[in-house]
Amino acid sequence: MTVVNPKLIIYLVAFAAFLGPFTQTIYAPILPEIQSDFRTSQFLVNMSISIFTIVLAVMQIVYGPLTDRKGRRKVLLPGIALYILASIGCAYSDSIHQLLVFRAIQAAGIAAGSVVATTVIGDLFEGKLRGRAMGTFQMLVALGPVAGPVIGGFVGGRFGYQGIFVVLAAAGVLMFAANFRYLRETKPEGGAGDSFQIRDFLSILVHPTGSAVILLGFIQYYTFYNFLVFLPDILDRYYKLSAEGKGMVFLPLSLMLVAGSFLGGRLQERVDARKGLIATSFFNVMAIVLFVFVSKFSLALLVAGIFLFGLFFGLSLPVQTTLLTEPFLRQRATAIGVYNFFRYMGMAAGPLIGSFLYRWGEIPLLFGFAAAAFAGIVLFARRQLLTAGHLSVSSSGK
């Protein structure tokens, strides 16, 4: 097989991972039009996004062990093919129930992207180069939920929801062709065997690095989705902003998430990854606390709070995946799958738990709870990562 520049592979597999969150949110701007076209309820239309997220999460713990056992190409390419077929099915659905079925299949296909992409980068790069590669990867993936509604609004406004899914199918075809042509198998020799046992999951969850990174990923996405879901109401209630104004407030959060993800990869070249992760997570907590105290009184300080949250959130993301790919050579994809599963569960838990907290105590209870839980996890993660560092030093000294 032709030898390909590893940097090109980063972009190829990152695009596969990008399509997951991109597809999740791309038609959010035209949900009312879909409801009207199908003559259905708002609940069922919203379910087309929820079911995508649920399937995307569950498939992470399916594709992880499968990728460790069967290989990266053998999982990614069939997953993309399934995504293409499901996207075409979504485009030609003539009822909301058909759309729900094809959205579930679409998620089942593209879920392979995030697992395989991170695993391939872990296979191809080591040390500081791995951190830099993860930064580039996380930056591109972070663009998914940001670019989705923008492109979806443009395409959907001109070609309807069918046009959106045709665009996704076309993107899938291009992605399949590029990965088929250039992605070689990167599974290490002597990788995981053919059988899978539940202790493979447990070994990741109890490992000091695994437990620290997975819990941090969960609480960060829990808090992030609190911002996404409840910030519009806060801005409306206290500042009476227009829809356009609310969108502009989200812009710093999105831009800092993308920029932070890029810079986080470079940061690992200068700062120990474990110390960097704890530091950025600590400042994440401080940004939430700032938001709690100022959000009702100053729009400028409110924006500063979410600006800082987005920055430190982004800085930590490539560090998390870099650390997680180091200790699990034979179970690298399984570890990434478990991590992704808990991140997606954080996305789902944020709006669900947050709805009760916001109703009972508004901003102080909603984000105060997030800050307290986040702080507790940071303290736990610090202890776990220090333990992992000692274990790493001990094993390297043998």
Side-chain angles (χ1 to χ4, degrees):
M1 187 174 289
T2 305
V3 176
V4 181
N5 187 335
K7 292 183 179 179
L8 173 62
I9 300 301
I10 297 175
Y11 291 98
L12 290 180
V13 296
F15 186 55
F18 162 91
L19 270 186
F22 180 77
T23 304
Q24 183 184 26
T25 61
I26 187 171
Y27 69 93
I30 62 164
L31 287 176
E33 287 80 359
I34 294 176
Q35 180 181 351
S36 176
D37 288 347
F38 286 141
R39 295 182 175 86
T40 187
S41 66
Q42 184 182 42
F43 172 78
L44 285 176
V45 171
N46 289 342
M47 271 296 293
S48 66
I49 292 181
S50 298
I51 198 169
F52 186 94
T53 305
I54 292 168
V55 174
L56 200 65
V58 172
M59 291 303 295
Q60 300 301 306
I61 55 177
V62 174
Y63 281 129
L66 198 62
T67 302
D68 279 331
R69 282 152 182 78
K70 302 300 181 183
R72 293 28 168 167
R73 275 176 59 92
K74 290 180 180 179
V75 170
L76 181 61
L77 294 178
I80 298 173
L82 184 63
Y83 171 80
I84 295 168
L85 294 174
S87 297
I88 295 171
C90 288
Y92 289 97
S93 294
D94 54 16
S95 74
I96 187 62
H97 299 97
Q98 287 184 16
L99 181 64
L100 289 172
V101 170
F102 282 116
R103 280 287 282 177
I105 299 172
Q106 194 184 38
I110 203 59
S114 56
V115 174
V116 173
T118 315
T119 306
V120 166
I121 292 172
D123 294 339
L124 292 178
F125 299 91
E126 294 182 357
K128 293 180 179 181
L129 290 178
R130 180 181 290 169
R132 180 177 284 258
M134 287 295 184
T136 302
F137 161 74
Q138 291 286 5
M139 177 192 68
L140 294 172
V141 173
L143 285 171
V146 177
V150 176
I151 295 175
F154 177 80
V155 175
R158 287 158 179 76
F159 304 105
Y161 78 90
Q162 296 94 339
I164 287 176
F165 289 112
V166 168
V167 167
L168 292 177
V173 170
L174 292 174
M175 181 173 57
F176 182 92
N179 280 282
F180 182 84
R181 174 67 179 84
Y182 295 110
L183 179 62
R184 58 184 174 84
E185 183 53 61
T186 62
K187 178 185 174 184
E189 294 293 332
D194 292 330
S195 63
F196 172 74
Q197 298 180 356
I198 194 67
R199 68 167 177 260
D200 292 340
F201 283 141
L202 296 177
S203 66
I204 293 163
L205 291 171
V206 301
H207 189 281
T209 298
S211 59
V213 170
I214 287 168
L215 282 174
L216 284 172
F218 173 87
I219 195 63
Q220 281 184 321
Y221 276 88
Y222 170 90
T223 308
F224 179 49
Y225 270 66
N226 275 181
F227 279 115
L228 293 183
V229 172
F230 298 104
L231 188 57
D233 185 74
I234 293 169
L235 294 171
D236 183 63
R237 180 177 300 189
Y238 295 103
Y239 300 101
K240 308 300 181 186
L241 295 186
S242 65
E244 292 79 5
K246 294 173 189 174
M248 290 301 295
V249 171
F250 274 104
L251 188 60
L253 175 62
S254 303
L255 291 178
M256 285 302 98
L257 178 58
V258 173
S261 298
F262 176 78
L263 293 173
R266 274 62 180 169
L267 182 66
Q268 296 177 72
E269 298 177 9
R270 300 178 179 273
V271 179
D272 176 77
R274 295 180 181 88
K275 293 179 180 178
L277 180 56
I278 294 303
T280 53
S281 299
F282 170 79
F283 286 118
N284 244 171
V285 175
M286 293 298 98
I288 302 168
V289 172
L290 173 66
F291 181 85
V292 170
F293 282 104
V294 305
S295 55
K296 293 183 180 180
F297 309 110
S298 169
L299 182 59
L301 290 176
L302 179 151
V303 171
I306 63 173
F307 175 98
L308 292 172
F309 178 84
L311 173 62
F312 291 113
F313 183 20
L315 285 170
S316 71
L317 286 176
V319 186
Q320 292 176 17
T321 47
T322 299
L323 285 174
L324 198 59
T325 55
E326 288 176 357
F328 302 108
L329 179 61
R330 297 177 65 251
Q331 299 172 304
R332 185 169 284 154
T334 303
I336 293 299
V338 174
Y339 168 70
N340 285 340
F341 172 77
F342 278 94
R343 284 198 303 161
Y344 288 126
M345 288 298 99
M347 295 179 192
L352 182 64
I353 299 173
S355 295
F356 295 102
L357 298 177
Y358 190 60
R359 186 186 310 157
W360 293 333
E362 294 189 358
I363 297 172
L365 184 57
L366 174 64
F367 288 101
F369 174 81
F374 207 145
I377 289 176
V378 170
L379 291 175
F380 172 80
R382 179 178 180 275
R383 186 182 68 184
Q384 293 295 89
L385 291 174
L386 286 175
T387 300
H390 294 321
L391 291 175
S392 177
V393 170
S394 298
S395 62
S396 62
K398 290 181 180 180

